[in-house]
Amino acid sequence: MAVADKTAERARSGRDPRQRRVLGVLTASQVLGGIGAGTGITISTLAAATLSGSEAIGGLAQTSAVAGAGVLAVPMARMADRHGRRAALSLAYGCAAVGMTIAAVAVALENWPLLAIGLFLAGGGSAGGLAARYAATDLSAPGHTARDLSLVVWATTIGSIAGPNLADPADRIGRAVGLAPWAGPYVLASITFGLTLIAIWALLRPDPLQPARLLQKPSAGEPQEEVLPEPAGAAAPVAPGRGRRTGRARRGSGGWHVLRTVPRARLAVAGIVVSHVVMVSVMVMTPVHLNHGHAGLSVVGIVISLHITGMYALAPLPGWLADRFGRVPVLMAGMVMLAVATALAALSTPHHVTRLTVALVLLGLGWSFGLVGGSALLTESVPADRRPAVQGLSDLLMNAGAALGGLAAGVVVTALSYGALATGAMLLVLPMMAALVLTGRRPGPRQPDGRE
């Protein structure tokens, strides 16, 4: 179908005929990528601690993967801006495949610094999963952005559940064929990320970002003086990453410029970062807190599994609510759940397993509402030609915050207590809630269906 025919069909129905294929490819890639990440990361702490003889180095393994995801978000954003989503996602999953291969070699050589390097590159799997949610919105019909985004987030559930359960069989098979201990899961993860790369490169056609740029008119959130007026009718075709902007606009079109000039984009990024930092900080220390109460690994496993279920399994719910009632109310609901979750955690001793379980489920749900609502708000606050830069910056900030939050969480629990950590996390949520209340009292730019 010609571009003009697709544009005409979208104008008539409000739905781009290419979106179903895009969502199918992205959903499948999330399942594969989730399996790769879950399989490899599951054993990383144990492998690093064993190779180094230090539990602190074991914690560094997780930090390396999170840091890698944050750092890779920047070149991915540039790649998307210049060459589209397909190239950016291929870069992420390619790095993840190479990283997991390096990790397999590292455990065979019993070299923990090399393992940390491999896990840093393997963070591309997480970076690709985060970027995929934005790719799902490029061709969304008006009023369906959050639902499309949440569908891709939901698909992570399958990989997140399957991946950890495949680590042990992969390790046993690897040892049976002569691989070093722990090498089997890394080999499986490398293969899975390689298949994800092939699927994205071969099937994500057309690239969703490029036609989105052709179809989009100037956004209400865009500073109008920086954009030359478009001719009447459909937007004129432009090369990816280029528009009819002045030289001043090109120089100031980065992610930081968007956050400085578009308040709702700034609010969205703040909501995403707060949600992620609070979730990671409390979640990573909950197993330690439970262990102080002599909870078994099976109990810890159940609590964390329910937490992950809260994060991903119900993601379509905040997506539907965000499209139905608006992005800011869903963000606020997420902050309320995070506040309740941290309050429950702060009041829980290591023996309050039920209360901690409820807190962790609410923590996962609050993260899901914050991520979906914030990501949808960010996407619709800026025009398509500026999205990659600010979306990449958002992912960089959320991963950097999570890495720092995870490190700070261990220090706080060691120096003070788990309750102090949860209280501190709640103090991060309260200012965000206040900002959302103030935003709700101010009229914002309306979406095509009349929502703010």
Side-chain angles (χ1 to χ4, degrees):
M1 184 182 294
V3 173
D5 294 336
K6 292 180 182 292
T7 304
E9 180 173 338
R10 178 169 183 169
R12 289 192 301 269
S13 65
R15 178 182 61 85
D16 193 295
R18 296 162 289 196
Q19 177 69 345
R20 180 175 296 179
R21 176 185 176 89
V22 168
L23 287 178
V25 173
L26 292 175
T27 299
S29 73
Q30 286 293 84
V31 174
L32 287 171
I35 291 174
T39 304
I41 300 303
T42 296
I43 63 164
S44 294
T45 300
L46 178 60
T50 302
L51 293 179
S52 65
S54 168
E55 291 186 358
I57 297 299
L60 179 64
Q62 297 287 354
T63 304
S64 295
V66 173
V71 171
L72 285 169
V74 176
M76 283 178 60
R78 292 174 180 170
M79 183 72 74
D81 186 51
R82 296 173 183 174
H83 304 289
R85 301 286 191 190
R86 184 164 60 97
L89 292 175
S90 296
L91 172 66
Y93 292 121
C95 286
V98 171
M100 288 300 184
T101 301
I102 292 174
V105 174
V107 295
L109 297 176
E110 299 184 355
N111 187 323
W112 71 261
L114 184 61
L115 175 61
I117 293 172
L119 293 175
F120 181 89
L121 288 173
S126 297
L130 290 171
R133 77 190 193 277
Y134 288 127
T137 67
D138 289 332
L139 294 177
S140 293
H144 286 77
T145 302
R147 271 172 278 191
D148 290 347
L149 184 151
S150 66
L151 177 64
V152 173
V153 174
W154 171 84
T156 310
T157 308
I158 302 172
S160 297
I161 293 174
N165 290 303
L166 291 174
D168 184 58
D171 187 41
R172 286 189 277 107
I173 293 173
R175 296 182 193 220
V177 299
L179 296 179
W182 302 302
Y186 289 129
V187 171
L188 175 60
S190 178
I191 293 172
T192 305
F193 281 130
L195 292 174
T196 309
L197 166 62
I198 293 171
I200 289 291
W201 187 258
L203 301 177
L204 194 60
R205 298 173 183 270
D207 188 289
L209 183 59
Q210 297 182 19
R213 284 171 165 168
L214 298 179
L215 290 167
Q216 189 186 60
K217 295 180 179 180
S219 169
E222 175 73 11
Q224 296 299 310
E225 67 275 8
E226 295 189 357
V227 182
L228 294 178
E230 294 291 337
V238 293
R242 300 183 183 274
R244 293 170 50 87
R245 290 172 286 163
T246 65
R248 184 168 66 91
R250 290 192 190 99
R251 291 192 299 271
S253 60
W256 288 112
H257 176 74
V258 173
L259 295 189
R260 288 195 302 268
T261 57
V262 184
R264 293 177 80 82
R266 188 163 58 245
L267 181 76
V269 171
I272 293 170
V273 171
V274 168
S275 299
H276 201 54
V277 171
V278 169
M279 185 276 293
V280 171
S281 300
V282 176
M283 181 271 294
V284 296
M285 297 310 299
T286 300
V288 176
H289 189 57
L290 288 168
N291 185 59
H292 290 162
H294 305 290
L297 286 177
S298 59
V299 173
V300 174
I302 291 172
V303 173
I304 297 301
S305 294
L306 290 173
H307 166 70
I308 293 174
T309 300
M311 289 175 63
Y312 296 115
L314 297 180
L317 175 61
W320 179 82
L321 291 173
D323 283 336
R324 180 67 179 82
F325 299 105
R327 285 71 168 109
V328 173
V330 168
L331 256 178
M332 175 59 81
M335 293 303 122
V336 170
M337 284 185 273
L338 290 173
V340 174
T342 51
L344 285 175
L347 296 173
S348 300
T349 70
H351 302 284
H352 289 150
V353 176
T354 301
R355 188 183 300 172
L356 284 168
T357 301
V358 174
L360 266 288
V361 171
L362 281 174
L363 193 71
L365 281 171
W367 176 88
S368 182
F369 273 65
L371 184 76
V372 171
S375 299
L377 179 62
L378 179 62
T379 296
E380 294 188 345
S381 296
V382 295
D385 61 343
R386 296 194 178 188
R387 285 177 192 164
V390 73
Q391 289 166 349
L393 177 60
S394 172
D395 287 347
L396 169 63
L397 293 175
M398 69 181 286
N399 281 296
L404 293 175
L407 292 173
V411 174
V412 171
V413 170
T414 301
L416 299 173
S417 66
Y418 178 80
L421 170 66
T423 301
M426 182 170 59
L427 294 178
L428 289 177
V429 175
L430 297 180
M432 189 68 221
M433 293 176 66
L436 290 168
V437 169
L438 292 176
T439 299
R441 293 176 178 176
R442 294 194 300 264
R446 294 193 171 272
Q447 305 301 333
D449 58 357
R451 291 173 294 99
E452 289 188 359

